Amino acid sequence: MTLMLRSSTSFIHLNDTKIIKAPLLEDLHGIISFKQAKPPSCLRIRSSLQEIKMERGSNKMEKLHSLSLNQHTNDLRVPVFVMLPLDTVSLGGSLNKPRTTNASLMALKSAGVEGVMVDAWWGLVEKDGPMKYNWEGYAELVQMVQRHGLKLQVVMSFHQCGGNVGDSCSIPLPPWVLEEISKNPDLVYTDKSGRRNPEYISLGCDSLPVLKGRTPIQVYADYMRSFRDRFRDYFGEVIMEVQVGAGPCGELRYPSYPESNGTWRFPGIGEFQCYDKYMRASLEAAAEAIGKRDWGSSGGPNDSGQYNQFPEDSGFFKRTGTWNSEYGKFFLEWYSGELLQHGDRVISAAKGIFHGTGAKLSAKVAGIHWHYGTRSHAAELTAGYYNTRHRDGYLPIAKMLAKHGVVLNFTCMEMKDGQQPGYANCSPEGLVTQVKMATRDAKAELAGENALERYDIAAYEQILATSRSESGNGLAAFTYLRMNKDLFEPQNWRNLVEFVKRMSEGGRNWRLPKSDCCGSDLRVGFIKEKKIEKVVVV
């Protein structure tokens, strides 16, 4: 069986020739052949864009976000990255499916992609014990990315993989950390029913030596320092960005809407996560400081409903609810303020470690667009974003990140209001516009991601539209979720390649041709198991 993917863009110089043994997709061994001749029975990628050389070890690498803030202009190039699979590095610490990864990187390079993103899982790297780090699988990946002339975004993933949207594998926190949690369950976020969430260490104990003599912030800092020292020679040339995980899914938020075990389902309002003893102690102290001791005695609102309810089902979030009372404002300011301080602590540690390396720092904020059309914005409030009809909850976050020179990475860039169910009161477009304005006002850089796996032109059109800066910031970079077998399906691949081209032109309008009659071909062929695979550039 032979696949040839059609595209309107190629960045392969047809005079370069090299052979690499590699499969393309998992569980299938493949041949990628770049040829001008039209092979039989295939799906093809063609190009009419100018060709550029793919040089191994080229020194002509641009630094990510090297341009000034992408504001008030529509003609700046927006580099596109592609997220690698969550299990790119195996549980054993080695590179998973290296031949597949190698061939896939070659294909992405041919499409004009700037680079790739990978999660550096805490649960993999430090699983053998405190400060016992294994970076070997990531070292193999970094070298492979360098060989293909690509760039790399690395996520410091201090959270568990599994139990959330898009999680395709399970990677828990390090065993020695889980051992400490079993001894002291209050180390993790807890809801009002006493349900513990092992996705991420509670911010309530950020400054307490609860992890075998180290504080969580110290543990994160030691991990990032180890990463910096191991890959010192690759910063600024290959490793262009470090995204600092600050909560579940790597996002600066509380785990208010966990999908594991059916706890939450869209579009539930979620629940506050402030009932571990450390968070309760903080709330009690805040209440006592203003002479309202009883406001801190219960640990949180007693009328805030349950995970899968709607705002009007609860006394706290309904139109005229407690959220807008004196108590509600006190609680929400404390709850969101604790999250903001946590982000500031983690980012400050990262800034001190990566300063001068040539890598940009970023932090991810979740795109919680359901119930955005209500007054209380309940789903955002339970996640820690104090954003309501009367208050901008994203400007303080943008200002905190701007203070450190950190890029705000925001998701749901591909969504349109009209695609959402009416009963959920969604407005992803309104939310994205608000974040664009907040980053502009805070003078922070903005980067984007798509929230769901989308391959259709409508999604790409929406990303192109939001990447421009007519209202608020334009995008400094975009990371596409995610590389998998579906991405390499003929029409999906063709759409991606055209999207990358449009983004390279500054987010100009979509004009995918119905057909083209000239250019180069990307031929993807599959042969039987255990045969030798070749990638030939002719």
Side-chain angles (χ1 to χ4, degrees), residues 91 120-128 157 159 171-175 223:
L91 293 174
W121 295 106
W122 183 28
L124 295 183
V125 175
E126 201 177 354
K127 70 181 181 65
D128 293 332
S157 296
H159 60 284
I171 304 172
L173 301 185
Y223 183 91

Side-chain angles (χ1 to χ4, degrees), residues 13-244:
H13 195 287
L14 298 177
N15 293 326
D16 288 352
T17 303
K18 61 178 71 174
I19 297 177
I20 305 173
K21 296 180 180 180
L24 180 61
L25 302 174
E26 56 184 89
D27 304 321
L28 293 172
H29 293 279
I31 299 175
I32 301 181
S33 177
F34 298 89
K35 304 176 69 175
Q36 283 185 310
K38 187 184 295 185
S41 305
C42 53
L43 304 159
R44 301 177 307 127
I45 287 185
R46 291 188 163 189
S47 166
S48 57
L49 192 65
Q50 64 178 12
E51 301 157 349
I52 63 172
K53 289 186 178 181
M54 183 173 67
E55 301 176 4
R56 180 177 297 182
S58 172
N59 291 322
K60 299 178 180 179
M61 295 186 177
E62 299 175 1
K63 289 188 176 182
L64 178 63
H65 310 311
S66 58
L67 296 172
S68 60
L69 290 182
N70 191 1
Q71 299 180 30
H72 315 305
T73 61
N74 294 327
D75 56 355
L76 291 180
R77 171 177 173 268
V78 182
V80 176
F81 291 74
V82 174
M83 294 186 199
L84 295 179
L86 294 169
D87 61 350
T88 294
V89 172
S90 71
L91 293 174
S94 60
L95 186 61
N96 205 7
K97 299 182 177 67
R99 292 185 299 174
T100 295
T101 302
N102 186 68
S104 299
L105 292 179
M106 174 172 281
L108 292 175
K109 177 67 176 179
S110 78
V113 166
E114 185 85 357
V116 292
M117 172 182 275
V118 68
D119 288 277
W121 295 106
W122 183 28
L124 295 183
V125 175
E126 201 177 354
K127 70 181 181 65
D128 293 332
M131 303 188 76
K132 295 180 180 179
Y133 308 107
N134 178 9
W135 296 106
E136 295 315 302
Y138 292 98
E140 189 176 352
L141 175 66
V142 169
Q143 292 161 9
M144 188 179 290
V145 169
Q146 182 184 46
R147 287 197 299 270
H148 287 289
L150 292 166
K151 298 170 185 176
L152 189 62
Q153 299 170 319
V154 183
V155 184
M156 300 287 100
S157 296
F158 299 116
H159 60 284
Q160 165 189 289
C161 178
N164 283 294
V165 176
D167 286 351
S168 56
C169 61
S170 177
I171 304 172
L173 301 185
W176 61 273
V177 174
L178 295 178
E179 180 182 340
E180 294 302 303
I181 293 172
S182 68
K183 298 175 184 176
N184 182 4
D186 285 290
L187 294 182
V188 297
Y189 289 118
T190 307
D191 65 21
K192 62 187 175 186
S193 300
R195 194 169 349 197
R196 310 287 187 176
N197 190 318
E199 292 183 57
Y200 188 81
I201 300 294
S202 169
L203 64 81
C205 55
D206 272 356
S207 302
L208 301 173
V210 293
L211 297 178
K212 295 190 179 296
R214 291 184 294 165
T215 70
I217 298 298
Q218 288 174 332
V219 171
Y220 303 151
D222 289 339
Y223 183 91
M224 291 187 286
R225 191 175 297 107
S226 172
F227 172 76
R228 180 202 64 189
D229 294 345
R230 178 64 178 80
F231 297 102
R232 187 183 298 275
D233 295 339
Y234 298 94
F235 280 101
E237 293 294 333
V238 182
I239 301 173
M240 307 306 294
E241 180 179 328
V242 176
Q243 187 173 113
V244 184

